[in-house]
Amino acid sequence: MTSASAPAPVAAPGVARPGHLMLDAEALYAELLRGVRALREPHTHLAGVASGGAWLAQRLQRDLGLPGDAGVLSSAMHRDDFARRGLASSAQTTLPFDVNGADILVLDDVLYTGRTIRAVLNELFDYGRPARVRLAVLVDRGGRELPVAADFAAARVTLPATQSLALARTESGAFHFDVKEV
């Protein structure tokens, strides 16, 4: 289900210094904004996965000039590793719109195994039955363990399984990526 307008897969550039990937998160955000404009319909609601996806959804809501607030979806209660992780210190789910019959565009920073998206979908359906749910991500890094695909990905990168990739923000709100060894 990858959008034809999504960029072709690329190998991840090297790490510039420990913890920072040489991948321009702000440029990828501009590409994501373009992709979301193309996917969005007049009654589409944005909801971001806590925390990086929620940051993206909030900024997209503002940059697209949409009224109200974007939703926030927490995966904490539906994770398949809940017994090991417990309740993470992530945000609570907040959906400032009626989920029943809604067209919802879920935003996330990095799509990897698909397990977080599975958990978020379970959380979303706890609130009602949407008419349609689509997924847009800043980075698709492959490595899927579940049959989950983004309708739009601003970039595709390849990283070793020993590294994690996450969106981070500076105090001024600018986006960058953090890479950590796991």
Side-chain angles (χ1 to χ4, degrees):
M1 269 196 162
T2 302
S3 167
S5 64
V10 294
V15 174
R17 61 184 196 271
H20 290 279
L21 184 66
M22 291 181 0
L23 193 59
D24 186 343
E26 286 295 329
L28 290 179
Y29 173 78
E31 182 66 17
L32 180 67
L33 177 60
R34 185 190 67 73
V36 168
R37 270 195 182 110
L39 286 175
R40 208 182 137 273
E41 295 175 4
H43 299 306
T44 300
H45 297 282
L46 303 182
V49 178
S51 62
W55 299 337
L56 292 168
Q58 290 163 357
R59 190 158 155 194
L60 285 163
Q61 188 88 6
R62 183 188 74 225
D63 291 349
L64 291 167
L66 303 176
D69 295 324
V72 175
L73 291 163
S74 171
S75 64
M77 296 303 292
H78 292 283
R79 292 197 58 94
D80 56 10
D81 58 356
F82 180 80
R84 184 175 52 86
R85 288 174 47 135
L87 274 177
S89 62
S90 69
Q92 297 289 320
T93 294
T94 306
L95 297 169
F97 51 83
D98 185 7
V99 169
N100 289 302
D103 178 26
I104 301 171
L105 182 58
V106 174
L107 285 299
D108 203 5
D109 56 349
V110 179
L111 176 58
Y112 184 32
T113 64
R115 293 184 181 282
T116 297
I117 298 303
R118 183 212 48 87
V120 162
L121 290 173
N122 286 347
E123 177 77 0
L124 184 61
F125 276 82
D126 283 349
Y127 285 79
R129 186 171 187 246
R132 176 170 66 171
V133 179
R134 291 170 294 157
L135 175 64
V137 299
L138 200 58
V139 175
D140 181 343
R141 66 172 283 180
R144 222 71 78 236
E145 295 174 4
L146 298 174
V148 173
D151 293 280
F152 183 85
R156 299 182 192 294
V157 300
T158 302
L159 291 174
T162 58
Q163 291 182 331
S164 71
L165 175 66
L167 188 64
R169 291 190 299 186
T170 64
E171 286 186 25
S172 67
F175 294 136
H176 63 90
F177 290 105
D178 278 341
V179 178
K180 295 182 179 147
E181 293 295 321
V182 291

